């Protein structure tokens, strides 16, 4: 999920900084340009960590800065299809819950949470079952599997990650612990 990768990109150094084209300056400019952005190949760029090489500068017509190609290391977050991840419920809506996994949120549709019917309780920001009294609300820790991934490089906020919790070993941590204790009690009873 998290990876350290070596990347190349072009960065514009404004005229006021042309006397200071150092790895540290280029690193700050790359951080401003890239951190938080989504890329189809490497995922979300979390941090630019080290600049290794700065190429020769190039001037473009009618542009005030000088453009340098830099080679650098970055920490990226790239969730993989079918990967099982732990996350935190950050928002509950009528149609499901948004789960924070790393620097991005994924959607856990209400149909992918449980086989039980879950009603939306807007007042308490949770989804609740009338059969077993299970609830899923903001702040709950949950284990999910990534089932869809659509990256929008132009508008990273429009990227979508679809999740499921409807398989054995997946679900709210409290539910999983209760199921484990129930299995242990049954085994001791036999």
């Amino acid at each position: 999920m998290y990876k350290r990768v070596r990347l190349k990109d072009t960065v514009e150094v404004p005229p006021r900084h042309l006397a200071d084209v150092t790895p540290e300056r280029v690193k700050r400019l790359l951080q401003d340009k890239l951190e938080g952005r989504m890329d189809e190949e490497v995922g979300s760029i979390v941090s630019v960590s080290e600049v290794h090489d700065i190429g020769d500068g190039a001037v473009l017509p009618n542009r005030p800065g000088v453009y340098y190609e830099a080679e650098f290391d970055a920490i990226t977050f790239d969730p993989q299809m079918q990967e099982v991840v732990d996350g935190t419920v950050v928002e509950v809506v009528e149609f499901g819950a948004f789960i924070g996994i790393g620097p991005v949120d994924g959607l856990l549709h209400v149909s992918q949470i449980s086989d039980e019917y879950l009603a939306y309780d807007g007042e308490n920001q949770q989804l609740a079952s009338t059969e077993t009294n299970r609830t899923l609300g903001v702040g709950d820790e949950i284990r999910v599997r990534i089932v869809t991934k659509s990256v929008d490089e132009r508008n990273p906020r429009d990227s979508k990650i679809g999740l499921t919790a409807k398989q054995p070993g997946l679900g709210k941590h409290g539910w999983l612990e209760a199921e484990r204790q129930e299995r242990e009690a049954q085994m001791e009873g036999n």
Side-chain angles (χ1 to χ4, degrees), residues 31-104:
Q31 288 171 330
D32 290 345
K33 177 182 178 184
L34 299 174
E35 288 181 1
R37 299 268 169 102
M38 188 74 90
D39 180 273
E40 183 82 46
E41 293 179 25
V42 298
S44 178
I45 297 176
V46 177
S47 174
V48 174
S49 56
E50 183 179 354
V51 174
H52 294 287
D53 185 42
I54 303 169
D56 294 331
V59 177
L60 299 178
N62 301 320
R63 301 295 301 220
V66 178
Y67 292 81
Y68 292 88
E69 184 170 288
E71 185 174 305
F72 58 95
D73 287 342
I75 305 300
T76 63
F77 177 83
D78 188 17
Q80 300 298 307
M81 291 291 292
Q82 310 310 324
E83 184 173 10
V84 174
V85 296
D86 286 322
T88 304
V89 177
V90 294
E91 183 180 5
V92 176
V93 292
E94 275 187 64
F95 54 86
F98 288 96
I99 312 298
I101 52 172
V104 298

Side-chain angles (χ1 to χ4, degrees), residues 52-186:
H52 294 287
D53 185 42
I54 303 169
D56 294 331
V59 177
L60 299 178
N62 301 320
R63 301 295 301 220
V66 178
Y67 292 81
Y68 292 88
E69 184 170 288
E71 185 174 305
F72 58 95
D73 287 342
I75 305 300
T76 63
F77 177 83
D78 188 17
Q80 300 298 307
M81 291 291 292
Q82 310 310 324
E83 184 173 10
V84 174
V85 296
D86 286 322
T88 304
V89 177
V90 294
E91 183 180 5
V92 176
V93 292
E94 275 187 64
F95 54 86
F98 288 96
I99 312 298
I101 52 172
V104 298
D105 295 344
L107 173 62
L108 179 61
H109 191 270
V110 69
S111 67
Q112 294 298 310
I113 297 172
S114 167
D115 287 330
E116 301 174 46
Y117 173 75
L118 296 173
Y120 175 64
D121 177 359
E123 186 176 319
N124 295 308
Q125 276 288 289
Q126 67 183 11
L127 295 166
S129 164
T130 54
E131 296 172 38
T132 59
N133 292 325
R134 286 182 169 184
T135 63
L136 183 66
V138 173
D140 288 344
E141 299 291 319
I142 189 166
R143 180 164 296 142
V144 293
R145 187 168 57 82
I146 297 169
V147 292
T148 61
K149 180 174 133 180
S150 171
V151 175
D152 186 335
E153 290 182 31
R154 290 179 187 217
N155 298 307
R157 292 251 174 241
D158 292 338
S159 297
K160 294 175 177 54
I161 296 175
L163 308 168
T164 187
K166 278 183 79 169
Q167 294 164 331
L170 301 180
K172 182 176 166 179
H173 287 191
W175 302 344
L176 297 173
E177 179 62 22
E179 290 169 6
R180 185 186 65 74
Q181 289 175 358
E182 191 177 303
R183 282 193 307 276
E184 286 177 2
Q186 287 176 349

Side-chain angles (χ1 to χ4, degrees), residues 24-36:
E24 193 56 39
R25 168 74 58 204
V26 170
K27 177 182 172 182
R28 282 195 298 272
L29 292 167
L30 285 166
Q31 288 171 330
D32 290 345
K33 177 182 178 184
L34 299 174
E35 288 181 1

Side-chain angles (χ1 to χ4, degrees), residues 5-27:
V5 296
R6 176 92 29 118
L7 301 172
K8 283 185 179 182
D9 201 345
T10 302
V11 64
E12 178 185 6
V13 177
R16 68 181 179 278
H17 296 301
L18 288 176
D20 183 32
V21 183
T22 61
E24 193 56 39
R25 168 74 58 204
V26 170
K27 177 182 172 182

